[in-house]
Amino acid sequence: MLRIHCPLCGERPYTEFRYGGDAGKHRPVHGAGGIEAWHDHLFLFENAKGPHREFWQHVQGCRQWLIAVRDTATNIVADVALARDARGLDPQGPGGP
Amino acid sequence: MMRYSLPRLVGHALRDRPWPRAWRKATPRSHYDVVIVGGGGHGLATAYYLAANHGIRRVAVLERSYIGSGNVGRNTTLVRSNYMMNGSTQFFEFSLKLWEGLSQALNFNVMLSQRGQIVLGHSPAQMDGLARRGNTMLLNGIEAELLDRGQVQRLLPYLDYSGAARFPIAGGLLQRRAGTVRHDAVAWGYARAADSLGVDILEGCEVSGFLLDAGGVHGVQTSRGRILADRVALAVAGHSSQLAALAGLRLPIESHLLQAFVTEPIKPFVDHVISFGAELFYLSQSDKGGLVFGGHIDGFNSFTQRGQFPKAQGVAQCALALIPGMSRLKLLRHWAGIQDMTPDGGPFICRTPVRNLYFNGGWCYQGFKATPAVGWCLADTIARDEEHPLVRCYGLERFAQGGASLDEYGHGHWTYRH
């Protein structure tokens, strides 16, 4: 079974987490860019076969949003960080789902 | 091609000779009118209808592995046309009609068994929803019957009707023409029929790139060399994004795993296809006796072809909630297929921004039952360079245009929630 190492709670089965999708996506700034930017954000997917940065929320634990790097070809989770730290320098803030 | 018939069968039984190969081991030619990437049910059906309906016989089907190795052999073999969203209703009914004549058309028994599918309802609100779905079908000329609890109990006496049932059964919606098809026979039947019309089926031939210029695509680079083509079509469920990226396209598709399960074989028990109403769960019994069933996708994108165990547990819970008598059955096998999930649960059959490149994919849970109609409509789209009327709702541009939704259950644009 897929297991995710929560930085606060330790390694837990994935069923304790809620999946939140691709963390590489950035929500377009309101008012900037046309409808195309929103279309691409909502409807297009990188769909990487290999390392994939993605959101998980530890809903049955600390309830923190995390960003994990999981290889979609093997399901091996290489790296997990709190989303607020991982995206702390992002001027748009944590753009969760 | 040797035509299969009763006299042939008897003749072969009397002589000690092996049957000839069902299709040739072709070697790639340098140029084709149409190259189809992906030798699954969809790709083979497209090749067959290009040759049979449009007389385009210089066609190659490129398969990375062997015929029948992908999702055409991994699904739960169900065919039905009880769709509610305009566009899908008509498309899947067209597909069911093609299934009904397929064994004769291909001279290959695909073992269509129209045993009827019953979708169960567990609350008055759900019965209203089923009535609406049934009315939509009736308005489109598709038979549908709304069943009350007593009628369901007469047809399916082994379900849990006790006071302890977690989800009491209120009734159901029956489509009598729905049923199952032997999925391997579909791949073999289309491969054999296409081959007999001159189509080259190239197994062990992986596409690594497209030959592109300002005029669009004019061939593919493969593990068996460069192959030129006037037109190229993609039908590679699971890896659509990876292949399209080689042509510079980003798709509204994410790859997810769907698991399927089969129990040890038992005597005839389940005569219909049953869909649970309280969860996504569907079950039928194969001719060999195994109960074949499946549920939701795993819930996060993956290419591993290995399902997560909690999903197997969830599916088993659904089975027991519905049929307590299954509690002592052992699971014989379970497996996972990689499928294209889309933002609205609907598929794509269309031209692409790259000239002469056609796309078929995004079939989510429903690719197998669509096989004949996909082949028919994609062949037509390629031959006329314009989308077949039945698939105009399946364009890649539909999200940008905000057109009619194909989202049957209103899940929104999250691929992993469909």
Side-chain angles (χ1 to χ4, degrees):
Chain A
M1 192 193 335
L2 177 66
R3 293 170 73 84
I4 297 168
H5 191 100
C6 172
L8 302 180
C9 310
E11 190 177 279
R12 310 296 304 165
Y14 88 99
T15 45
E16 289 188 7
F17 299 78
R18 169 196 292 156
Y19 183 56
D22 188 351
K25 283 188 165 190
H26 292 262
R27 186 176 293 158
V29 177
H30 276 285
I35 195 78
E36 238 175 63
W38 282 100
H39 168 267
D40 293 357
H41 172 70
L42 286 172
F43 297 120
L44 298 188
F45 301 90
E46 282 306 319
N47 196 16
K49 184 175 184 177
H52 186 245
R53 288 184 81 235
E54 59 196 23
F55 286 113
W56 290 87
Q57 188 191 9
H58 198 184
V59 283
Q60 289 177 28
C62 57
R63 297 198 61 80
Q64 292 299 306
W65 278 100
L66 313 173
I67 291 181
V69 180
R70 177 178 57 95
D71 190 321
T72 60
T74 61
N75 274 349
I76 293 170
V77 181
D79 188 33
V80 188
L82 293 175
R84 61 173 181 229
D85 296 341
R87 292 188 83 168
L89 297 176
D90 182 351
Q92 293 170 37
Chain B
M1 175 179 84
M2 176 197 273
R3 229 186 129 67
Y4 294 153
S5 65
L6 186 60
R8 284 256 189 234
L9 187 66
V10 174
H12 253 276
L14 297 175
R15 270 172 297 175
D16 187 21
R17 259 196 310 186
W19 287 87
R21 296 190 77 89
W23 61 88
R24 295 168 291 131
K25 280 223 173 298
T27 44
R29 285 191 255 175
S30 58
H31 177 264
Y32 290 94
D33 291 343
V34 180
V35 158
I36 296 163
V37 186
H42 288 192
L44 293 167
T46 304
Y48 168 72
Y49 290 116
L50 274 171
N53 292 357
H54 303 280
I56 301 175
R57 298 185 175 204
R58 287 161 49 85
V59 176
V61 178
L62 315 187
E63 168 55 43
R64 176 172 72 170
S65 182
Y66 60 92
I67 296 300
S69 59
N71 288 349
V72 71
R74 290 172 183 263
N75 53 73
T76 48
T77 78
L78 308 182
V79 297
R80 58 184 173 87
S81 64
N82 52 357
Y83 282 74
M84 197 174 69
M85 303 310 290
N86 207 27
S88 290
T89 316
Q90 298 84 358
F91 179 84
F92 284 99
E93 174 59 11
F94 179 65
S95 197
L96 189 55
K97 285 188 173 136
L98 288 176
W99 281 119
E100 287 170 333
L102 196 62
S103 292
Q104 286 73 26
L106 299 181
N107 180 231
F108 199 101
N109 188 2
V110 297
M111 297 169 76
L112 169 68
S113 161
Q114 293 180 291
R115 55 187 72 182
Q117 188 216 14
I118 298 170
V119 184
L120 297 170
H122 306 273
S123 67
Q126 210 169 9
M127 290 309 296
D128 288 347
L130 290 180
R132 184 185 173 208
R133 180 175 293 263
N135 286 336
T136 307
M137 292 164 66
L138 291 172
L139 287 170
N140 281 282
I142 306 166
E143 45 84 35
E145 292 169 48
L146 198 64
L147 308 176
D148 62 25
R149 180 180 161 92
Q151 289 168 305
V152 172
Q153 191 162 6
R154 271 192 292 284
L155 288 172
L156 314 173
Y158 42 80
L159 303 187
D160 189 355
Y161 300 96
S162 71
R166 174 67 184 83
F167 298 101
I169 291 159
L173 184 68
L174 167 64
Q175 185 183 21
R176 288 188 191 274
R177 288 164 57 240
T180 62
V181 177
R182 173 147 193 235
H183 52 198
D184 302 310
V186 176
W188 300 332
Y190 271 122
R192 174 172 166 271
D195 173 86
S196 75
L197 294 173
V199 171
D200 282 353
I201 295 168
L202 305 171
E203 295 172 80
C205 184
E206 182 171 1
V207 168
S208 55
F210 295 97
L211 308 177
L212 297 162
D213 61 21
V217 67
H218 57 90
V220 288
Q221 197 69 49
T222 78
S223 56
R224 294 177 71 176
R226 164 191 286 225
I227 299 174
L228 299 178
D230 296 342
R231 291 170 183 186
V232 177
L234 310 184
V236 292
H239 285 80
S240 294
S241 301
Q242 280 64 39
L243 201 60
L246 296 176
L249 299 175
R250 278 179 83 206
L251 298 176
I253 284 177
E254 207 171 45
S255 298
H256 288 255
L257 293 189
L258 183 64
Q259 301 188 58
F261 307 84
V262 61
T263 68
E264 57 190 330
I266 54 173
K267 290 195 172 181
F269 173 42
V270 178
D271 301 326
H272 303 81
V273 177
I274 307 169
S275 293
F276 198 20
E279 247 292 0
L280 185 53
F281 175 79
Y282 33 92
L283 176 135
S284 65
Q285 186 168 19
S286 75
D287 294 330
K288 215 156 60 179
L291 298 183
V292 182
F293 50 92
H296 267 293
I297 51 174
D298 271 12
F300 52 90
N301 47 321
S302 178
F303 292 84
T304 55
Q305 283 189 324
R306 284 195 305 274
Q308 294 294 320
F309 186 64
K311 277 288 164 191
Q313 288 176 305
V315 166
Q317 284 165 351
C318 287
L320 294 192
L322 199 58
I323 307 176
M326 282 176 67
S327 66
R328 291 166 70 186
L329 281 181
K330 292 182 179 70
L331 265 189
L332 197 62
R333 288 183 290 131
H334 88 114
W335 62 93
I338 312 171
Q339 58 181 23
D340 296 351
M341 293 300 296
T342 67
D344 62 354
F348 306 104
I349 301 180
C350 53
R351 292 171 288 179
T352 68
V354 179
R355 181 114 188 88
N356 297 327
L357 183 67
Y358 302 83
F359 180 64
N360 164 61
W363 280 94
C364 303
Y365 295 79
Q366 54 206 349
F368 178 68
K369 66 180 75 67
T371 302
V374 167
W376 187 287
C377 296
L378 180 58
D380 190 83
T381 301
I382 295 167
R384 297 190 303 114
D385 195 29
E386 185 187 6
E387 282 77 9
H388 185 280
L390 275 175
V391 299
R392 281 185 196 145
C393 56
Y394 293 156
L396 280 165
E397 71 293 338
R398 65 175 179 264
F399 305 109
Q401 291 174 346
S405 171
L406 298 165
D407 188 347
E408 290 265 328
Y409 299 98
H411 288 310
H413 72 275
W414 301 105
T415 50
Y416 51 91
R417 289 186 188 163
H418 279 287

